[in-house]
Amino acid sequence: KRASGPLLFETRSHGWNNQGLACDFARNLAKHGIATWSDVSEWGTGEVLTWPQMKRVYGLKDNTTEHSEYKRLAEQLERPEWAQLRQYWKWAAIEERAHGQKTERRAPDRVRKVKAARKAPTCYGGGTEEDEHGWEYLCEWEGEQSDSWVWHDKMPHTWERELMHAQGVRRQAASFREWLEHRRRLGRSGPEAAQADRALETCDGKGDAPSWSDVL
């Protein structure tokens, strides 16, 4: 309960002393599973998410009921009467007593190396409107934790340069089709390019090969 933070729309404690405070109920935000402070705060800092961050994480849109509801919610969380609880939550988030337990991952500052990058859903963050996709990164961790993939928005801002580098030179295909397209670009011409073309036609249902073994 403490890991998910204080409740947003209820006064009951849920592991925290809400001091009898609750935000106005936001029905449309609740439909997206938003119910506690961890749902609307930044991983590792406890800061309230900006509207652009909320759009990336939950796939929300501008000029909607969700937009107006979140604007009102964010304003309420910044009111003076929330100051003490807000500070307690930030301490918990920074010290890993909250988000670290919720995500079952090590804190971002324990990333040792970004080993690869690949395309991901837009809600993972890191992409542009033109990209129509987000990014995630294969991270090597300090200690004995196994390598794991982490959303762009879950990575610390201090790693931004390394993340851009990984997108450029350590990129992995996120799908078989993307791998084929990359292979086609590398081949340019010759047998490998022709083979990749046949495989892509098969993906599109245009090829006449009886099996994948005849294509690859």
Side-chain angles (χ1 to χ4, degrees):
K1 292 181 178 180
R2 285 192 62 83
S4 58
L7 295 171
L8 291 169
F9 310 121
E10 299 181 54
T11 57
R12 59 189 178 91
S13 63
H14 194 64
W16 292 80
N17 180 9
N18 281 29
Q19 303 166 3
L21 297 171
C23 296
D24 296 338
F25 183 60
R27 185 180 304 277
N28 290 280
L29 292 181
K31 290 179 180 178
H32 289 274
I34 297 169
T36 70
W37 283 44
S38 65
D39 298 323
V40 296
S41 58
E42 190 174 29
W43 190 67
T45 70
E47 295 288 346
V48 175
L49 295 175
T50 63
W51 175 243
Q53 288 174 314
M54 286 292 292
K55 289 196 297 181
R56 289 199 301 270
V57 174
Y58 294 100
L60 306 179
K61 303 294 184 182
D62 288 327
N63 303 315
T64 60
T65 303
E66 289 91 346
H67 190 180
S68 59
E69 285 185 347
Y70 188 69
K71 182 179 179 180
R72 183 172 65 251
L73 175 66
E75 290 173 350
Q76 290 177 343
L77 292 178
E78 295 297 332
R79 289 177 180 173
E81 57 265 34
W82 290 92
Q84 186 177 37
L85 185 60
R86 189 166 59 241
Q87 189 60 57
Y88 286 158
W89 171 244
K90 288 180 180 180
W91 287 341
I94 292 171
E95 294 175 9
E96 305 172 34
R97 291 197 300 265
H99 287 71
Q101 295 174 10
K102 179 188 176 188
T103 60
E104 297 180 354
R105 286 178 176 163
R106 294 177 180 267
D109 60 356
R110 294 187 181 178
V111 174
R112 175 181 292 155
K113 179 181 179 182
V114 176
K115 302 176 72 173
R118 67 184 179 190
K119 289 182 180 180
T122 54
C123 63
Y124 284 30
T128 65
E129 292 184 5
E130 291 76 18
D131 290 336
E132 296 184 347
H133 66 78
W135 291 94
E136 63 179 346
Y137 308 94
L138 182 62
C139 293
E140 179 181 313
W141 304 88
E142 294 180 5
E144 299 179 357
Q145 181 175 342
S146 301
D147 296 350
S148 59
W149 290 92
V150 180
W151 295 16
H152 180 94
D153 281 353
K154 301 295 186 182
M155 294 292 293
H157 298 306
T158 53
W159 281 80
E160 191 67 32
R161 180 177 296 180
E162 182 70 13
L163 300 185
M164 296 299 293
H165 180 71
Q167 291 176 20
V169 302
R170 299 177 190 163
R171 180 170 172 176
Q172 289 188 4
S175 65
F176 180 54
R177 182 182 184 84
E178 187 180 349
W179 177 80
L180 286 173
E181 291 172 344
H182 178 66
R183 186 176 178 182
R184 174 66 181 84
R185 288 193 297 270
L186 290 178
R188 297 187 181 179
S189 61
E192 288 191 2
Q195 188 180 42
D197 283 336
R198 290 196 300 273
L200 287 168
E201 288 177 355
T202 302
C203 284
D204 294 334
K206 300 177 181 179
D208 55 4
S211 69
W212 278 108
S213 59
D214 295 296
V215 177
L216 300 175

PDB file of all heavy atoms in Angstrom, residues 59-89:
ATOM      1  N   GLY A  59      -1.592   7.655 -22.955  1.00  0.00           N
ATOM      2  CA  GLY A  59      -2.206   7.803 -24.272  1.00  0.00           C
ATOM      3  C   GLY A  59      -3.363   8.782 -24.288  1.00  0.00           C
ATOM      4  O   GLY A  59      -4.299   8.633 -25.081  1.00  0.00           O
ATOM      5  N   LEU A  60      -3.331   9.801 -23.427  1.00  0.00           N
ATOM      6  CA  LEU A  60      -4.402  10.787 -23.343  1.00  0.00           C
ATOM      7  C   LEU A  60      -4.267  11.836 -24.451  1.00  0.00           C
ATOM      8  O   LEU A  60      -3.220  11.961 -25.068  1.00  0.00           O
ATOM      9  CB  LEU A  60      -4.392  11.458 -21.963  1.00  0.00           C
ATOM     10  CG  LEU A  60      -4.452  10.506 -20.758  1.00  0.00           C
ATOM     11  CD1 LEU A  60      -4.412  11.290 -19.458  1.00  0.00           C
ATOM     12  CD2 LEU A  60      -5.701   9.631 -20.824  1.00  0.00           C
ATOM     13  N   LYS A  61      -5.335  12.584 -24.671  1.00  0.00           N
ATOM     14  CA  LYS A  61      -5.374  13.573 -25.756  1.00  0.00           C
ATOM     15  C   LYS A  61      -5.669  14.967 -25.202  1.00  0.00           C
ATOM     16  O   LYS A  61      -6.303  15.117 -24.163  1.00  0.00           O
ATOM     17  CB  LYS A  61      -6.456  13.196 -26.784  1.00  0.00           C
ATOM     18  CG  LYS A  61      -6.290  11.811 -27.395  1.00  0.00           C
ATOM     19  CD  LYS A  61      -5.035  11.701 -28.239  1.00  0.00           C
ATOM     20  CE  LYS A  61      -4.943  10.333 -28.915  1.00  0.00           C
ATOM     21  NZ  LYS A  61      -3.696  10.190 -29.704  1.00  0.00           N
ATOM     22  N   ASP A  62      -5.220  15.988 -25.956  1.00  0.00           N
ATOM     23  CA  ASP A  62      -5.517  17.368 -25.592  1.00  0.00           C
ATOM     24  C   ASP A  62      -7.002  17.668 -25.772  1.00  0.00           C
ATOM     25  O   ASP A  62      -7.698  16.997 -26.547  1.00  0.00           O
ATOM     26  CB  ASP A  62      -4.709  18.334 -26.472  1.00  0.00           C
ATOM     27  CG  ASP A  62      -3.226  18.332 -26.121  1.00  0.00           C
ATOM     28  OD1 ASP A  62      -2.894  18.141 -24.944  1.00  0.00           O
ATOM     29  OD2 ASP A  62      -2.414  18.517 -27.047  1.00  0.00           O
ATOM     30  N   ASN A  63      -7.470  18.695 -25.065  1.00  0.00           N
ATOM     31  CA  ASN A  63      -8.831  19.212 -25.224  1.00  0.00           C
ATOM     32  C   ASN A  63      -9.896  18.137 -25.016  1.00  0.00           C
ATOM     33  O   ASN A  63     -10.864  18.025 -25.778  1.00  0.00           O
ATOM     34  CB  ASN A  63      -9.006  19.865 -26.608  1.00  0.00           C
ATOM     35  CG  ASN A  63      -8.001  20.973 -26.846  1.00  0.00           C
ATOM     36  OD1 ASN A  63      -7.768  21.804 -25.969  1.00  0.00           O
ATOM     37  ND2 ASN A  63      -7.388  20.979 -28.021  1.00  0.00           N
ATOM     38  N   THR A  64      -9.705  17.326 -24.002  1.00  0.00           N
ATOM     39  CA  THR A  64     -10.662  16.279 -23.649  1.00  0.00           C
ATOM     40  C   THR A  64     -11.050  16.447 -22.192  1.00  0.00           C
ATOM     41  O   THR A  64     -10.482  17.260 -21.456  1.00  0.00           O
ATOM     42  CB  THR A  64     -10.047  14.885 -23.852  1.00  0.00           C
ATOM     43  OG1 THR A  64      -8.872  14.768 -23.016  1.00  0.00           O
ATOM     44  CG2 THR A  64      -9.655  14.652 -25.306  1.00  0.00           C
ATOM     45  N   THR A  65     -12.022  15.637 -21.765  1.00  0.00           N
ATOM     46  CA  THR A  65     -12.418  15.661 -20.357  1.00  0.00           C
ATOM     47  C   THR A  65     -11.251  15.250 -19.467  1.00  0.00           C
ATOM     48  O   THR A  65     -11.047  15.824 -18.397  1.00  0.00           O
ATOM     49  CB  THR A  65     -13.611  14.718 -20.126  1.00  0.00           C
ATOM     50  OG1 THR A  65     -14.687  15.091 -20.983  1.00  0.00           O
ATOM     51  CG2 THR A  65     -14.084  14.798 -18.679  1.00  0.00           C
ATOM     52  N   GLU A  66     -10.464  14.277 -19.925  1.00  0.00           N
ATOM     53  CA  GLU A  66      -9.290  13.860 -19.152  1.00  0.00           C
ATOM     54  C   GLU A  66      -8.317  15.013 -18.960  1.00  0.00           C
ATOM     55  O   GLU A  66      -7.717  15.158 -17.890  1.00  0.00           O
ATOM     56  CB  GLU A  66      -8.570  12.697 -19.856  1.00  0.00           C
ATOM     57  CG  GLU A  66      -9.302  11.378 -19.817  1.00  0.00           C
ATOM     58  CD  GLU A  66     -10.209  11.174 -20.994  1.00  0.00           C
ATOM     59  OE1 GLU A  66     -10.479  12.176 -21.723  1.00  0.00           O
ATOM     60  OE2 GLU A  66     -10.665  10.056 -21.221  1.00  0.00           O
ATOM     61  N   HIS A  67      -8.178  15.836 -19.993  1.00  0.00           N
ATOM     62  CA  HIS A  67      -7.269  16.982 -19.922  1.00  0.00           C
ATOM     63  C   HIS A  67      -7.719  17.953 -18.826  1.00  0.00           C
ATOM     64  O   HIS A  67      -6.922  18.369 -17.977  1.00  0.00           O
ATOM     65  CB  HIS A  67      -7.225  17.686 -21.276  1.00  0.00           C
ATOM     66  CG  HIS A  67      -6.153  18.735 -21.378  1.00  0.00           C
ATOM     67  ND1 HIS A  67      -5.938  19.489 -22.504  1.00  0.00           N
ATOM     68  CD2 HIS A  67      -5.242  19.176 -20.466  1.00  0.00           C
ATOM     69  CE1 HIS A  67      -4.945  20.328 -22.305  1.00  0.00           C
ATOM     70  NE2 HIS A  67      -4.504  20.166 -21.062  1.00  0.00           N
ATOM     71  N   SER A  68      -8.986  18.309 -18.840  1.00  0.00           N
ATOM     72  CA  SER A  68      -9.489  19.248 -17.833  1.00  0.00           C
ATOM     73  C   SER A  68      -9.467  18.634 -16.437  1.00  0.00           C
ATOM     74  O   SER A  68      -9.176  19.325 -15.453  1.00  0.00           O
ATOM     75  CB  SER A  68     -10.906  19.703 -18.202  1.00  0.00           C
ATOM     76  OG  SER A  68     -11.788  18.601 -18.291  1.00  0.00           O
ATOM     77  N   GLU A  69      -9.765  17.340 -16.345  1.00  0.00           N
ATOM     78  CA  GLU A  69      -9.727  16.669 -15.049  1.00  0.00           C
ATOM     79  C   GLU A  69      -8.315  16.662 -14.483  1.00  0.00           C
ATOM     80  O   GLU A  69      -8.119  16.899 -13.280  1.00  0.00           O
ATOM     81  CB  GLU A  69     -10.240  15.229 -15.172  1.00  0.00           C
ATOM     82  CG  GLU A  69     -11.740  15.106 -15.306  1.00  0.00           C
ATOM     83  CD  GLU A  69     -12.205  13.665 -15.312  1.00  0.00           C
ATOM     84  OE1 GLU A  69     -11.350  12.755 -15.466  1.00  0.00           O
ATOM     85  OE2 GLU A  69     -13.412  13.442 -15.183  1.00  0.00           O
ATOM     86  N   TYR A  70      -7.329  16.401 -15.345  1.00  0.00           N
ATOM     87  CA  TYR A  70      -5.958  16.342 -14.838  1.00  0.00           C
ATOM     88  C   TYR A  70      -5.445  17.725 -14.460  1.00  0.00           C
ATOM     89  O   TYR A  70      -4.695  17.867 -13.487  1.00  0.00           O
ATOM     90  CB  TYR A  70      -5.012  15.694 -15.846  1.00  0.00           C
ATOM     91  CG  TYR A  70      -3.648  15.459 -15.230  1.00  0.00           C
ATOM     92  CD1 TYR A  70      -3.493  14.500 -14.236  1.00  0.00           C
ATOM     93  CD2 TYR A  70      -2.550  16.220 -15.598  1.00  0.00           C
ATOM     94  CE1 TYR A  70      -2.269  14.296 -13.627  1.00  0.00           C
ATOM     95  CE2 TYR A  70      -1.320  16.020 -14.991  1.00  0.00           C
ATOM     96  CZ  TYR A  70      -1.192  15.052 -14.012  1.00  0.00           C
ATOM     97  OH  TYR A  70       0.033  14.860 -13.395  1.00  0.00           O
ATOM     98  N   LYS A  71      -5.841  18.721 -15.203  1.00  0.00           N
ATOM     99  CA  LYS A  71      -5.443  20.090 -14.858  1.00  0.00           C
ATOM    100  C   LYS A  71      -5.948  20.442 -13.461  1.00  0.00           C
ATOM    101  O   LYS A  71      -5.204  20.994 -12.634  1.00  0.00           O
ATOM    102  CB  LYS A  71      -5.994  21.073 -15.883  1.00  0.00           C
ATOM    103  CG  LYS A  71      -5.592  22.516 -15.619  1.00  0.00           C
ATOM    104  CD  LYS A  71      -6.161  23.452 -16.687  1.00  0.00           C
ATOM    105  CE  LYS A  71      -5.764  24.897 -16.406  1.00  0.00           C
ATOM    106  NZ  LYS A  71      -6.322  25.823 -17.435  1.00  0.00           N
ATOM    107  N   ARG A  72      -7.209  20.100 -13.171  1.00  0.00           N
ATOM    108  CA  ARG A  72      -7.774  20.372 -11.859  1.00  0.00           C
ATOM    109  C   ARG A  72      -7.078  19.543 -10.773  1.00  0.00           C
ATOM    110  O   ARG A  72      -6.762  20.047  -9.690  1.00  0.00           O
ATOM    111  CB  ARG A  72      -9.274  20.081 -11.858  1.00  0.00           C
ATOM    112  CG  ARG A  72      -9.964  20.409 -10.543  1.00  0.00           C
ATOM    113  CD  ARG A  72     -11.470  20.290 -10.626  1.00  0.00           C
ATOM    114  NE  ARG A  72     -11.900  18.921 -10.862  1.00  0.00           N
ATOM    115  CZ  ARG A  72     -12.426  18.479 -12.002  1.00  0.00           C
ATOM    116  NH1 ARG A  72     -12.575  19.317 -13.028  1.00  0.00           N
ATOM    117  NH2 ARG A  72     -12.795  17.214 -12.133  1.00  0.00           N
ATOM    118  N   LEU A  73      -6.798  18.273 -11.083  1.00  0.00           N
ATOM    119  CA  LEU A  73      -6.135  17.386 -10.124  1.00  0.00           C
ATOM    120  C   LEU A  73      -4.742  17.895  -9.774  1.00  0.00           C
ATOM    121  O   LEU A  73      -4.357  17.961  -8.592  1.00  0.00           O
ATOM    122  CB  LEU A  73      -6.047  15.974 -10.698  1.00  0.00           C
ATOM    123  CG  LEU A  73      -5.272  14.936  -9.883  1.00  0.00           C
ATOM    124  CD1 LEU A  73      -5.989  14.651  -8.568  1.00  0.00           C
ATOM    125  CD2 LEU A  73      -5.082  13.658 -10.678  1.00  0.00           C
ATOM    126  N   ALA A  74      -3.960  18.264 -10.791  1.00  0.00           N
ATOM    127  CA  ALA A  74      -2.600  18.752 -10.559  1.00  0.00           C
ATOM    128  C   ALA A  74      -2.605  20.031  -9.731  1.00  0.00           C
ATOM    129  O   ALA A  74      -1.744  20.222  -8.860  1.00  0.00           O
ATOM    130  CB  ALA A  74      -1.892  18.987 -11.900  1.00  0.00           C
ATOM    131  N   GLU A  75      -3.561  20.896 -10.005  1.00  0.00           N
ATOM    132  CA  GLU A  75      -3.666  22.132  -9.224  1.00  0.00           C
ATOM    133  C   GLU A  75      -3.981  21.834  -7.760  1.00  0.00           C
ATOM    134  O   GLU A  75      -3.425  22.465  -6.852  1.00  0.00           O
ATOM    135  CB  GLU A  75      -4.746  23.034  -9.825  1.00  0.00           C
ATOM    136  CG  GLU A  75      -4.359  23.640 -11.168  1.00  0.00           C
ATOM    137  CD  GLU A  75      -5.508  24.396 -11.817  1.00  0.00           C
ATOM    138  OE1 GLU A  75      -6.654  24.273 -11.306  1.00  0.00           O
ATOM    139  OE2 GLU A  75      -5.269  25.112 -12.812  1.00  0.00           O
ATOM    140  N   GLN A  76      -4.858  20.866  -7.524  1.00  0.00           N
ATOM    141  CA  GLN A  76      -5.222  20.511  -6.155  1.00  0.00           C
ATOM    142  C   GLN A  76      -4.034  19.923  -5.392  1.00  0.00           C
ATOM    143  O   GLN A  76      -3.835  20.223  -4.207  1.00  0.00           O
ATOM    144  CB  GLN A  76      -6.394  19.526  -6.161  1.00  0.00           C
ATOM    145  CG  GLN A  76      -7.706  20.153  -6.608  1.00  0.00           C
ATOM    146  CD  GLN A  76      -8.840  19.151  -6.683  1.00  0.00           C
ATOM    147  OE1 GLN A  76      -8.624  17.942  -6.704  1.00  0.00           O
ATOM    148  NE2 GLN A  76     -10.067  19.654  -6.738  1.00  0.00           N
ATOM    149  N   LEU A  77      -3.239  19.119  -6.060  1.00  0.00           N
ATOM    150  CA  LEU A  77      -2.087  18.489  -5.397  1.00  0.00           C
ATOM    151  C   LEU A  77      -1.007  19.501  -5.022  1.00  0.00           C
ATOM    152  O   LEU A  77      -0.152  19.212  -4.179  1.00  0.00           O
ATOM    153  CB  LEU A  77      -1.492  17.399  -6.289  1.00  0.00           C
ATOM    154  CG  LEU A  77      -2.354  16.153  -6.509  1.00  0.00           C
ATOM    155  CD1 LEU A  77      -1.662  15.190  -7.460  1.00  0.00           C
ATOM    156  CD2 LEU A  77      -2.656  15.456  -5.191  1.00  0.00           C
ATOM    157  N   GLU A  78      -1.025  20.668  -5.648  1.00  0.00           N
ATOM    158  CA  GLU A  78      -0.038  21.700  -5.348  1.00  0.00           C
ATOM    159  C   GLU A  78      -0.529  22.707  -4.303  1.00  0.00           C
ATOM    160  O   GLU A  78       0.190  23.648  -3.961  1.00  0.00           O
ATOM    161  CB  GLU A  78       0.344  22.455  -6.635  1.00  0.00           C
ATOM    162  CG  GLU A  78       1.066  21.597  -7.672  1.00  0.00           C
ATOM    163  CD  GLU A  78       2.412  21.079  -7.186  1.00  0.00           C
ATOM    164  OE1 GLU A  78       3.036  21.748  -6.338  1.00  0.00           O
ATOM    165  OE2 GLU A  78       2.834  20.001  -7.652  1.00  0.00           O
ATOM    166  N   ARG A  79      -1.731  22.512  -3.780  1.00  0.00           N
ATOM    167  CA  ARG A  79      -2.264  23.442  -2.792  1.00  0.00           C
ATOM    168  C   ARG A  79      -1.490  23.341  -1.471  1.00  0.00           C
ATOM    169  O   ARG A  79      -0.933  22.284  -1.150  1.00  0.00           O
ATOM    170  CB  ARG A  79      -3.745  23.162  -2.554  1.00  0.00           C
ATOM    171  CG  ARG A  79      -4.638  23.554  -3.724  1.00  0.00           C
ATOM    172  CD  ARG A  79      -6.085  23.180  -3.466  1.00  0.00           C
ATOM    173  NE  ARG A  79      -6.939  23.559  -4.587  1.00  0.00           N
ATOM    174  CZ  ARG A  79      -8.224  23.221  -4.681  1.00  0.00           C
ATOM    175  NH1 ARG A  79      -8.793  22.519  -3.701  1.00  0.00           N
ATOM    176  NH2 ARG A  79      -8.927  23.595  -5.730  1.00  0.00           N
ATOM    177  N   PRO A  80      -1.460  24.427  -0.688  1.00  0.00           N
ATOM    178  CA  PRO A  80      -0.695  24.454   0.572  1.00  0.00           C
ATOM    179  C   PRO A  80      -1.070  23.355   1.552  1.00  0.00           C
ATOM    180  O   PRO A  80      -0.202  22.817   2.246  1.00  0.00           O
ATOM    181  CB  PRO A  80      -1.024  25.843   1.147  1.00  0.00           C
ATOM    182  CG  PRO A  80      -1.370  26.669  -0.050  1.00  0.00           C
ATOM    183  CD  PRO A  80      -2.070  25.744  -0.994  1.00  0.00           C
ATOM    184  N   GLU A  81      -2.357  22.994   1.618  1.00  0.00           N
ATOM    185  CA  GLU A  81      -2.766  21.978   2.595  1.00  0.00           C
ATOM    186  C   GLU A  81      -2.192  20.595   2.299  1.00  0.00           C
ATOM    187  O   GLU A  81      -2.160  19.722   3.160  1.00  0.00           O
ATOM    188  CB  GLU A  81      -4.300  21.892   2.677  1.00  0.00           C
ATOM    189  CG  GLU A  81      -4.996  21.582   1.362  1.00  0.00           C
ATOM    190  CD  GLU A  81      -5.472  22.820   0.645  1.00  0.00           C
ATOM    191  OE1 GLU A  81      -4.780  23.864   0.743  1.00  0.00           O
ATOM    192  OE2 GLU A  81      -6.532  22.756  -0.016  1.00  0.00           O
ATOM    193  N   TRP A  82      -1.725  20.385   1.061  1.00  0.00           N
ATOM    194  CA  TRP A  82      -1.119  19.120   0.688  1.00  0.00           C
ATOM    195  C   TRP A  82       0.402  19.116   0.904  1.00  0.00           C
ATOM    196  O   TRP A  82       1.055  18.107   0.660  1.00  0.00           O
ATOM    197  CB  TRP A  82      -1.388  18.812  -0.784  1.00  0.00           C
ATOM    198  CG  TRP A  82      -2.805  18.484  -1.112  1.00  0.00           C
ATOM    199  CD1 TRP A  82      -3.780  19.342  -1.510  1.00  0.00           C
ATOM    200  CD2 TRP A  82      -3.419  17.182  -1.103  1.00  0.00           C
ATOM    201  NE1 TRP A  82      -4.951  18.688  -1.741  1.00  0.00           N
ATOM    202  CE2 TRP A  82      -4.756  17.356  -1.502  1.00  0.00           C
ATOM    203  CE3 TRP A  82      -2.957  15.909  -0.797  1.00  0.00           C
ATOM    204  CZ2 TRP A  82      -5.653  16.294  -1.605  1.00  0.00           C
ATOM    205  CZ3 TRP A  82      -3.840  14.846  -0.894  1.00  0.00           C
ATOM    206  CH2 TRP A  82      -5.174  15.043  -1.284  1.00  0.00           C
ATOM    207  N   ALA A  83       0.979  20.213   1.310  1.00  0.00           N
ATOM    208  CA  ALA A  83       2.438  20.376   1.323  1.00  0.00           C
ATOM    209  C   ALA A  83       3.152  19.290   2.113  1.00  0.00           C
ATOM    210  O   ALA A  83       4.148  18.715   1.654  1.00  0.00           O
ATOM    211  CB  ALA A  83       2.805  21.759   1.868  1.00  0.00           C
ATOM    212  N   GLN A  84       2.671  18.987   3.322  1.00  0.00           N
ATOM    213  CA  GLN A  84       3.361  18.012   4.161  1.00  0.00           C
ATOM    214  C   GLN A  84       3.298  16.617   3.549  1.00  0.00           C
ATOM    215  O   GLN A  84       4.322  15.921   3.446  1.00  0.00           O
ATOM    216  CB  GLN A  84       2.760  17.990   5.562  1.00  0.00           C
ATOM    217  CG  GLN A  84       3.528  17.089   6.528  1.00  0.00           C
ATOM    218  CD  GLN A  84       2.934  17.140   7.933  1.00  0.00           C
ATOM    219  OE1 GLN A  84       1.730  17.228   8.109  1.00  0.00           O
ATOM    220  NE2 GLN A  84       3.799  17.093   8.943  1.00  0.00           N
ATOM    221  N   LEU A  85       2.120  16.199   3.118  1.00  0.00           N
ATOM    222  CA  LEU A  85       1.975  14.884   2.508  1.00  0.00           C
ATOM    223  C   LEU A  85       2.770  14.801   1.213  1.00  0.00           C
ATOM    224  O   LEU A  85       3.394  13.773   0.909  1.00  0.00           O
ATOM    225  CB  LEU A  85       0.495  14.595   2.243  1.00  0.00           C
ATOM    226  CG  LEU A  85       0.151  13.198   1.714  1.00  0.00           C
ATOM    227  CD1 LEU A  85       0.603  12.125   2.697  1.00  0.00           C
ATOM    228  CD2 LEU A  85      -1.348  13.080   1.457  1.00  0.00           C
ATOM    229  N   ARG A  86       2.779  15.889   0.451  1.00  0.00           N
ATOM    230  CA  ARG A  86       3.543  15.932  -0.802  1.00  0.00           C
ATOM    231  C   ARG A  86       5.030  15.728  -0.534  1.00  0.00           C
ATOM    232  O   ARG A  86       5.716  14.991  -1.256  1.00  0.00           O
ATOM    233  CB  ARG A  86       3.292  17.278  -1.488  1.00  0.00           C
ATOM    234  CG  ARG A  86       3.843  17.382  -2.890  1.00  0.00           C
ATOM    235  CD  ARG A  86       3.264  18.604  -3.616  1.00  0.00           C
ATOM    236  NE  ARG A  86       3.562  19.845  -2.928  1.00  0.00           N
ATOM    237  CZ  ARG A  86       2.642  20.677  -2.441  1.00  0.00           C
ATOM    238  NH1 ARG A  86       1.353  20.377  -2.532  1.00  0.00           N
ATOM    239  NH2 ARG A  86       2.989  21.803  -1.836  1.00  0.00           N
ATOM    240  N   GLN A  87       5.550  16.347   0.525  1.00  0.00           N
ATOM    241  CA  GLN A  87       6.962  16.210   0.865  1.00  0.00           C
ATOM    242  C   GLN A  87       7.286  14.803   1.322  1.00  0.00           C
ATOM    243  O   GLN A  87       8.316  14.226   0.934  1.00  0.00           O
ATOM    244  CB  GLN A  87       7.345  17.209   1.960  1.00  0.00           C
ATOM    245  CG  GLN A  87       8.847  17.278   2.214  1.00  0.00           C
ATOM    246  CD  GLN A  87       9.617  17.686   0.970  1.00  0.00           C
ATOM    247  OE1 GLN A  87       9.375  18.744   0.391  1.00  0.00           O
ATOM    248  NE2 GLN A  87      10.546  16.848   0.539  1.00  0.00           N
ATOM    249  N   TYR A  88       6.399  14.199   2.122  1.00  0.00           N
ATOM    250  CA  TYR A  88       6.612  12.818   2.569  1.00  0.00           C
ATOM    251  C   TYR A  88       6.666  11.866   1.376  1.00  0.00           C
ATOM    252  O   TYR A  88       7.491  10.945   1.333  1.00  0.00           O
ATOM    253  CB  TYR A  88       5.496  12.391   3.520  1.00  0.00           C
ATOM    254  CG  TYR A  88       5.577  12.994   4.900  1.00  0.00           C
ATOM    255  CD1 TYR A  88       4.442  13.087   5.707  1.00  0.00           C
ATOM    256  CD2 TYR A  88       6.775  13.471   5.413  1.00  0.00           C
ATOM    257  CE1 TYR A  88       4.496  13.648   6.977  1.00  0.00           C
ATOM    258  CE2 TYR A  88       6.854  14.036   6.673  1.00  0.00           C
ATOM    259  CZ  TYR A  88       5.708  14.115   7.449  1.00  0.00           C
ATOM    260  OH  TYR A  88       5.782  14.665   8.707  1.00  0.00           O
ATOM    261  N   TRP A  89       5.769  12.085   0.408  1.00  0.00           N
ATOM    262  CA  TRP A  89       5.740  11.221  -0.773  1.00  0.00           C
ATOM    263  C   TRP A  89       7.022  11.365  -1.589  1.00  0.00           C
ATOM    264  O   TRP A  89       7.580  10.374  -2.068  1.00  0.00           O
ATOM    265  CB  TRP A  89       4.526  11.538  -1.625  1.00  0.00           C
ATOM    266  CG  TRP A  89       4.546  10.837  -2.962  1.00  0.00           C
ATOM    267  CD1 TRP A  89       4.618  11.410  -4.183  1.00  0.00           C
ATOM    268  CD2 TRP A  89       4.526   9.420  -3.195  1.00  0.00           C
ATOM    269  NE1 TRP A  89       4.645  10.458  -5.170  1.00  0.00           N
ATOM    270  CE2 TRP A  89       4.586   9.233  -4.586  1.00  0.00           C
ATOM    271  CE3 TRP A  89       4.469   8.305  -2.367  1.00  0.00           C
ATOM    272  CZ2 TRP A  89       4.593   7.968  -5.163  1.00  0.00           C
ATOM    273  CZ3 TRP A  89       4.476   7.042  -2.945  1.00  0.00           C
ATOM    274  CH2 TRP A  89       4.533   6.881  -4.332  1.00  0.00           C
TER     275      TRP A  89
END
